[in-house]
C-alpha cells in the first residue's frame, strides 16, 4: 500500500483494525508499528482494556470502530468504555447504511464530547471510495502528525462524499 501510495502521491500510514474476543468489538489503532507488535506478541490474547492501556502508554491512539454495527459475527450488544479509548468512529461507510447504525455512534460521541471523532469507509467495494473518511486542512507528514492533527481538532469528517466539521455540518 505504501509503495502504491508513493507512486500515486498519496500518503499511506501504518495502522490496523483489531477485533476483541469474545465480544467481537472492532478498534482502529494508530501510532504503533511493527516493532511494537513484535515486542508484544501477547496483543491478540490481551483483554481489550489491557490492550488499550498498553497501546495508549506506548503512544498509540485507539478509536472504537463502527461501535453499533450489526453483523452475523457480532454476538453481543455494543459496550463502549470512554475511559479506555481516545475516540469513536461516528460515521462508517454511507451515513444511511443500516448495518452501521451511525446515528447511535453520533449520539454516543455527543454525550462524550472529549472523545475524538473519526469517519471511515471499511471499503470492500471500489464504488464506496471517497464516501466516508478523514480530511485535513494541510498535508500530513506521518502518523504522528495524523494523531496530533486529530488531537488538535483539525480532523474533518468526510460523510457521504462531503467534508464536514466534527459535528457533521458541511464546510
Amino acid at each position: 500500500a505504501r509503495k502504491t501510495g508513493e507512486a500515486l502521491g498519496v500518503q499511506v500510514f501504518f495502522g490496523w483494525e483489531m477485533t476483541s474476543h469474545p465480544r467481537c468489538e472492532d478498534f482502529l489503532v494508530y501510532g504503533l508499528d511493527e516493532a511494537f507488535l513484535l515486542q508484544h506478541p501477547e496483543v491478540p490474547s490481551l483483554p481489550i482494556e489491557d490492550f488499550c492501556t498498553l497501546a495508549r502508554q506506548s503512544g498509540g491512539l485507539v478509536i472504537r470502530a463502527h461501535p453499533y454495527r450489526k453483523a452475523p459475527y457480532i454476538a453481543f450488544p455494543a459496550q463502549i468504555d470512554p475511559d479506555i479509548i481516545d475516540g469513536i468512529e461516528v460515521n462508517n461507510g454511507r451515513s444511511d447504511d443500516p448495518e452501521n447504525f451511525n446515528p447511535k455512534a453520533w449520539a454516543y460521541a455527543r454525550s462524550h464530547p472529549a472523545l475524538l471523532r473519526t469517519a471511515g469507509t471499511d471499503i470492500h467495494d471500489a464504488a464506496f471510495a471517497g464516501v466516508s473518511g478523514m480530511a485535513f486542512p494541510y498535508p500530513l507528514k506521518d502518523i504522528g502528525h495524523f494523531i496530533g492533527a486529530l488531537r488538535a481538532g483539525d480532523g474533518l469528517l468526510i460523510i457521504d462524499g462531503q467534508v464536514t466539521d466534527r459535528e457533521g455540518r458541511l464546510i
Side-chain angles (χ1 to χ4, degrees), residues 9 29 52 54 57 60 63 66 83 87 108 110 136 145 159-160:
V29 182
C52 289
L54 175 64
Q57 287 174 347
I63 304 291
H66 45 71
D83 296 325
Y108 188 87
R110 288 183 175 123
F136 295 87
H145 195 200
I159 300 173
D160 296 333

Side-chain angles (χ1 to χ4, degrees), residues 55-156:
R56 294 168 85 196
Q57 287 174 347
S58 301
L61 184 80
V62 180
I63 304 291
R64 181 70 163 82
H66 45 71
Y68 295 101
R69 172 174 283 171
K70 298 283 186 200
Y73 71 92
I74 301 173
F76 300 94
Q79 290 184 349
I80 307 170
D81 183 348
D83 296 325
I84 68 167
I85 58 175
D86 297 293
I88 183 168
E89 187 179 54
V90 294
N91 197 79
N92 183 276
R94 301 178 320 273
S95 65
D96 63 347
D97 184 341
E99 292 180 0
N100 283 326
F101 292 89
N102 290 323
K104 284 185 172 185
W106 275 102
Y108 188 87
R110 288 183 175 123
S111 70
H112 295 84
L115 290 177
L116 301 172
R117 297 176 189 179
T118 67
T121 57
D122 254 343
I123 287 182
H124 296 269
D125 184 327
F128 297 116
V131 171
S132 185
M134 298 298 299
F136 295 87
Y138 43 79
L140 298 175
K141 300 172 192 156
D142 54 35
I143 193 66
H145 195 200
F146 169 79
I147 291 170
L150 277 178
R151 291 191 190 280
D154 292 343
L156 303 172

Side-chain angles (χ1 to χ4, degrees), residues 11-46:
Q11 292 279 62
V12 176
F13 305 129
F14 184 78
W16 71 89
E17 182 173 7
M18 66 178 285
T19 302
S20 69
H21 296 285
R23 296 199 54 82
C24 296
E25 298 167 317
D26 295 324
F27 297 83
L28 303 170
V29 182
Y30 303 104
L32 303 175
D33 58 14
E34 184 180 6
F36 169 86
L37 291 170
L38 292 171
Q39 290 169 357
H40 298 283
E42 74 280 12
V43 162
S45 61
L46 286 177

